[in-house]
């Protein structure tokens, strides 16, 4: 009788836990709806309060998401403890079921390299805060950026919650097609709606940005702004470098759907999305974005060398990119009185002969491989081997070029070229002084000198999360130098995320952060052999990592990086691959 009584209670618990899981899925859906759908378009007081409004939205949404998830997790833990008090038979019957529904117990299951990297990064952030002399400052971070301890913990916790969800499995690649593999229609709808919301919201954000570059202002954001402010701010994100960080982190999802899909309507829609993506990348006026594009396209090319169909799709993406660049250049010439003046690199890629040449080459390659498709398999394989060798050779030459360029800049800056050959190039890109890269030369030099002067324990663990400015202005010599350079304008970060992390988190912390980024790229790249859609997440990380060589963590980009990491990791779990058909 006692065993029957316990079994009845166990049955009730077994009935409750699936409902809790469904509620959690709704919570995850609501969070992604807010962050992927509402956040990019949300603003207050035009550009005057947009930064604070974005962070306030992120803060409230994330805390609500984590808080509600914790409440339901505690509920499940209580249920699991009740099961532990039952008979052995009842425990054997129900305990595993309860465990499977507990997110934070599932965190310990099947830990991947990416899981370890993110977890260790979180530990490094906590250690940096513990050793910091600026704990009050490091808790929230620099005003306007707010990338301190609180935000970092939100990033890490969000990653582990999302990476243990099952609502994302659904888009898989098999026999050249994309299949939905959910067992329940509700889960299928969740994934489809989340993806559609992301694409629609980001596409609108890109469209508003392109329109702003031609002084078309449907939202009234430019009312009362002068030309300088119009150059510096655009769309519903705000400052140009913040906006480019957002674009470089999220646009790859839509482009990869165009790359892998076989459905004509989906290719048309994602093709339009890709045009908007490349259109805003060439007009947002941040040189960092072109570094991100180069990294993504280079990686996409290598991924596409495995077979001819992927290579043709890569060439189609390339043609869309160069064609969009050229199209924007035509619009800039036709509407010359409305086009916002942009920097050298943006104008080069939209209006130079080089862009048209690359477009013709891309289209020519597509035509060549389309005709090659009618040949025998042996001929195709031979051509693909040649293609792979040529692409690798070009990649090596590109790497050699950039290494040689860096070496040239070094010799030019140090005066060796003037001393040896009576020659010095004063072009702002080729002379690394305080004014190099929109004054990034000065911030990099000062940040590196600051790191070299840190005590040993701070070299290891840093001065505290997002606490670079707190440390710089606490040292009289550095503070005086900064005031002499920029007056009352406060330097909040190094404008290089890795250099900034080196000072804030030390050698240990920046190593963990590089493990997250580099490990994430290689991890998703390898997993994409089973599910090519996963390459989108490798590209999201690549775009973020390359872009932030010249930028920094901020609320319009970094949360989306961790969302991509979490969703991508969820898709790699073995349980999410066993239903591929």
């Amino acid at each position: 009788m006692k065993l029957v009584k316990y079994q009845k209670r166990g049955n009730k618990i077994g009935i409750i836990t699936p409902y809790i899981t469904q509620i959690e899925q709704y919570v995850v859906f609501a969070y992604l709806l807010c962050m992927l759908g509402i956040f990019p378009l949300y603003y207050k007081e035009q550009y005057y309060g947009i930064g604070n409004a974005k962070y306030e939205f992120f803060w409230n949404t994330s805390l609500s998401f984590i808080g509600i998830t914790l409440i339901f997790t505690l509920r499940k833990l209580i249920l699991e403890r009740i099961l532990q008090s039952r008979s052995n038979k009842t425990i054997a019957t129900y305990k595993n079921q309860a465990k499977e529904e507990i997110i934070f117990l599932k965190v310990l299951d099947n830990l991947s390299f990416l899981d370890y990297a993110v977890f260790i990064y979180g530990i490094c952030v906590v250690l940096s805060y513990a050793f910091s002399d600026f704990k009050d400052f490091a808790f929230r971070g620099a005003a306007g950026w707010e990338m301190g301890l609180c935000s970092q913990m939100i990033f890490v916790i969000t990653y582990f919650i999302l990476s243990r969800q099952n609502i994302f499995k659904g888009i898989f690649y098999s026999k050249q097609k994309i299949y939905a593999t959910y067992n329940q229609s509700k889960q299928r709808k969740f994934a489809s709606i989340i993806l559609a919301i992301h694409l629609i919201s980001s596409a609108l954000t890109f469209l508003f940005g392109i329109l702003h570059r031609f002084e078309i202002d449907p939202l009234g954001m430019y009312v009362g702004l002068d030309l300088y402010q119009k150059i510096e701010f655009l769309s519903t994100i705000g400052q140009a470098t913040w906006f480019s960080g957002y674009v470089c982190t999220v646009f790859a999802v839509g482009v990869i759907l165009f790359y892998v899909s076989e459905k004509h309507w989906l290719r048309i829609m994602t093709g339009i999305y890709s045009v908007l993506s490349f259109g805003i990348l060439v007009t947002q006026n941040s040189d960092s974005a072109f570094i991100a594009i180069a990294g993504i396209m280079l990686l996409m090319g290598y991924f596409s060398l495995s077979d001819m169909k992927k290579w043709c799709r890569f060439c189609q993406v390339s043609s869309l990119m160069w064609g969009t660049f050229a199209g924007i250049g035509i619009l800039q010439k036709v509407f010359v009185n409305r086009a916002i003046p942009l920097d050298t690199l943006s104008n080069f890629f939209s209006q130079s002969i080089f862009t048209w040449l690359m477009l013709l080459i891309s289209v020519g390659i597509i035509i060549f491989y389309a005709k090659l498709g009618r040949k025998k398999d042996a001929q195709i394989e031979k051509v693909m081997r040649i293609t792979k060798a040529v692409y690798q050779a070009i990649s090596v030459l590109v790497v050699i070029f950039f290494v040689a360029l860096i070496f040239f800049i070094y010799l030019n800056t140090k005066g060796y070229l003037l001393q040896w050959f009576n020659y010095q190039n004063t072009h702002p890109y080729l002379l690394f002084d305080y004014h190099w890269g929109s004054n990034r030369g000065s911030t990099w030099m000062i940040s590196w000198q600051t790191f070299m002067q840190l005590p040993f324990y701070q070299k290891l663990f840093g001065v505290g999360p997002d606490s670079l400015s707190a440390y710089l202005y606490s040292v009289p010599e550095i503070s005086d130098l900064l005031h002499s350079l920029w007056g009352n304008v406060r330097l909040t970060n190094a404008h290089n995320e890795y250099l900034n992390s080196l000072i804030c988190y030390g050698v240990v912390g920046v190593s963990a952060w590089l493990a997250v980024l580099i490990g994430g790229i290689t991890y998703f790249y390898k997993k994409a052999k089973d599910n090519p859609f996963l390459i989108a997440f490798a590209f999201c990380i690549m775009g973020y990592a390359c872009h932030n060589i010249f930028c920094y963590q901020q609320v319009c980009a970094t949360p989306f990086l961790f969302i991509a990491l979490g969703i991508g990791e969820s898709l790699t779990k073995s349980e999410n691959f066993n239903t591929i058909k």
Side-chain angles (χ1 to χ4, degrees):
M1 292 295 293
K2 187 175 182 180
L3 178 59
V4 172
K5 180 180 178 181
Y6 285 161
Q7 286 177 331
K8 288 181 178 180
R9 292 180 181 178
N11 278 325
K12 291 180 180 179
I13 294 173
I15 293 172
I16 292 172
T17 50
Y19 285 105
I20 296 178
T21 299
Q22 291 182 21
I23 295 172
E24 286 175 345
Q25 291 177 349
Y26 278 111
V27 173
V28 172
F29 176 80
Y31 172 73
L32 293 176
L33 169 65
C34 290
M35 288 302 298
L36 299 180
I38 300 174
F39 178 91
L41 300 171
Y42 177 78
Y43 64 91
K44 282 184 180 180
E45 302 174 3
Q46 297 170 297
Y47 295 125
Y48 300 102
I50 195 167
N52 291 333
K54 293 286 189 186
Y55 187 81
E56 180 183 352
F57 185 96
F58 159 75
W59 176 261
N60 292 334
T61 302
S62 299
L63 286 188
S64 300
F65 168 58
I66 293 172
I68 294 172
T69 303
L70 284 173
I71 290 172
F72 284 106
T73 299
L74 290 174
R75 170 67 173 166
K76 289 178 180 179
L77 288 171
I78 293 172
L79 293 177
E80 199 270 344
R81 293 297 298 173
I82 293 173
L83 289 175
Q84 286 181 344
S85 65
R86 303 295 183 253
S87 67
N88 291 335
K89 184 173 181 180
T90 306
I91 292 175
T93 305
Y94 301 110
K95 185 176 179 180
N96 289 334
Q97 181 179 358
K99 275 191 173 182
E100 288 174 359
E101 306 297 338
I102 300 173
I103 287 178
F104 285 93
L105 287 180
K106 290 175 73 178
V107 166
L108 301 178
D109 295 338
N110 302 320
L111 288 177
S112 67
F113 173 84
L114 187 57
D115 292 332
Y116 283 113
V118 174
F119 180 75
I120 292 171
Y121 171 71
I123 295 297
C124 291
V125 171
V126 173
L127 289 174
S128 175
Y129 179 78
F131 285 105
S132 177
D133 297 327
F134 312 96
K135 287 185 174 60
D136 291 340
F137 188 95
F139 188 70
R140 290 295 295 267
W145 275 258
E146 315 289 348
M147 291 291 107
L149 177 68
C150 292
S151 294
Q152 302 302 322
M153 291 299 99
I154 287 175
F155 297 151
V156 172
I157 294 172
T158 299
Y159 163 80
F160 278 107
I161 293 176
L162 294 179
S163 64
R164 267 59 195 173
Q165 292 296 319
N166 290 325
I167 69 171
F168 305 117
K169 58 180 181 178
I171 299 178
F172 290 96
Y173 186 95
S174 178
K175 297 181 181 178
Q176 315 302 331
K177 293 184 179 180
I178 294 179
Y179 289 96
T181 61
Y182 288 106
N183 293 323
Q184 299 179 5
S185 61
K186 185 179 294 184
Q187 291 177 320
R188 186 185 301 113
K189 289 179 181 179
F190 277 176
S192 300
I193 293 172
I194 289 169
L195 185 58
I197 285 171
H198 164 67
L199 295 177
I200 293 170
S201 179
S202 56
L204 287 173
T205 307
F206 301 163
L207 178 61
F208 291 143
I210 295 172
L211 293 176
H212 276 165
R213 286 315 188 202
F214 292 92
E215 294 201 73
I216 301 172
D217 186 20
L219 300 178
M221 303 288 285
Y222 275 4
V223 175
L225 300 187
D226 57 28
L227 179 60
Y228 173 79
Q229 292 169 325
K230 290 177 181 178
I231 294 173
E232 290 295 314
F233 294 88
L234 73 162
S235 192
T236 54
I237 297 295
Q239 207 272 342
T241 52
W242 286 44
F243 182 64
S244 65
Y246 166 76
V247 176
C248 292
T249 307
V250 305
F251 85 95
V253 175
V255 173
I256 289 303
L257 276 175
F258 173 79
Y259 174 84
V260 302
S261 178
E262 293 296 329
K263 297 179 179 179
H264 294 300
W265 69 268
L266 185 57
R267 294 209 78 212
I268 292 171
M269 298 304 295
T270 53
I272 295 171
Y273 180 91
S274 300
V275 169
L276 291 174
S277 300
F278 294 130
I280 192 58
L281 284 165
V282 79
T283 58
Q284 43 71 47
N285 207 39
S286 174
D287 293 352
S288 310
F290 295 105
I291 304 297
I293 295 173
I296 289 173
M297 295 303 290
L298 182 66
L299 190 63
M300 186 185 294
Y302 269 101
F303 182 74
S304 304
L305 289 171
S306 58
D307 63 67
M308 192 181 74
K309 185 164 187 176
K310 288 181 182 178
W311 180 254
C312 289
R313 289 294 179 91
F314 167 67
C315 293
Q316 290 173 11
V317 173
S318 299
S319 298
L320 269 184
M321 181 183 74
W322 295 114
T324 303
F325 287 1
I328 290 292
I330 293 173
L331 292 176
Q332 289 170 336
K333 291 178 179 178
V334 172
F335 302 102
V336 64
N337 294 327
R338 299 190 66 89
I340 296 291
L342 304 177
D343 290 342
T344 304
L345 210 54
S346 295
N347 284 327
F348 173 80
F349 281 108
S350 64
Q351 300 184 21
S352 69
I353 296 176
F354 174 80
T355 297
W356 285 97
L357 178 62
M358 294 304 297
L359 174 60
L360 290 175
I361 292 173
S362 299
V363 173
I365 292 174
I366 292 173
I367 295 172
F368 171 77
Y369 281 97
K371 293 182 178 180
L372 181 66
R374 305 188 188 100
K375 304 291 183 180
K376 296 180 180 180
D377 291 344
Q379 291 176 298
I380 294 174
E381 290 178 6
K382 181 179 179 180
V383 172
M384 285 306 301
R385 286 197 299 269
I386 296 172
T387 301
K388 185 174 183 179
V390 171
Y391 189 82
Q392 290 174 339
I394 292 174
S395 301
V396 171
L397 290 175
V398 169
V399 171
I400 292 174
F401 170 79
F402 279 106
V403 171
L405 181 62
I406 294 171
F407 187 59
F408 177 87
I409 293 172
Y410 173 79
L411 295 178
N412 189 48
T413 302
K414 289 294 186 179
Y416 292 127
L417 294 181
L418 184 63
Q419 178 183 344
W420 297 340
F421 306 106
N422 196 29
Y423 170 81
Q424 186 175 41
N425 194 310
T426 58
H427 191 282
Y429 285 125
L430 301 176
L431 185 64
F432 189 81
D433 57 11
Y434 267 21
H435 303 291
W436 182 87
S438 301
N439 294 320
R440 280 172 174 79
S442 57
T443 60
W444 289 10
M445 291 179 192
I446 292 170
S447 297
W448 178 252
Q449 292 167 4
T450 299
F451 173 75
M452 295 303 294
Q453 296 172 8
L454 291 176
F456 179 73
Y457 78 95
Q458 287 184 325
K459 280 189 171 71
L460 286 179
F461 301 109
V463 300
D466 200 21
S467 297
L468 174 66
S469 62
Y471 181 84
L472 292 178
Y473 288 93
S474 71
V475 181
E477 296 82 1
I478 301 176
S479 178
D480 292 341
L481 174 60
L482 294 176
H483 283 300
S484 68
L485 290 173
W486 297 301
N488 293 326
V489 177
R490 191 175 180 88
L491 178 64
T492 53
N493 56 68
H495 289 263
N496 176 304
E497 180 164 341
Y498 312 104
L499 186 54
N500 198 78
S501 297
L502 183 63
I503 297 174
C504 291
Y505 305 120
V507 173
V508 176
V510 76
S511 299
W513 183 230
L514 288 172
V516 172
L517 297 176
I518 298 173
I521 293 170
T522 56
Y523 180 65
F524 291 131
Y525 186 93
K526 292 177 181 178
K527 291 288 186 178
K529 294 178 181 178
D530 299 313
N531 176 10
F533 183 68
L534 281 172
I535 199 66
F537 301 101
F539 292 162
C540 289
I541 304 169
M542 175 66 84
Y544 179 92
C546 291
H547 180 273
N548 279 17
I549 293 172
F550 297 96
C551 288
Y552 36 75
Q553 288 191 353
Q554 41 94 356
V555 73
C556 293
T558 311
F560 296 95
L561 172 70
F562 279 90
I563 288 173
L565 289 168
I567 295 176
E569 173 62 20
S570 173
L571 289 173
T572 65
K573 297 301 180 187
S574 59
E575 62 186 6
N576 292 349
F577 281 85
N578 59 14
T579 54
I580 298 179
K581 298 181 181 179

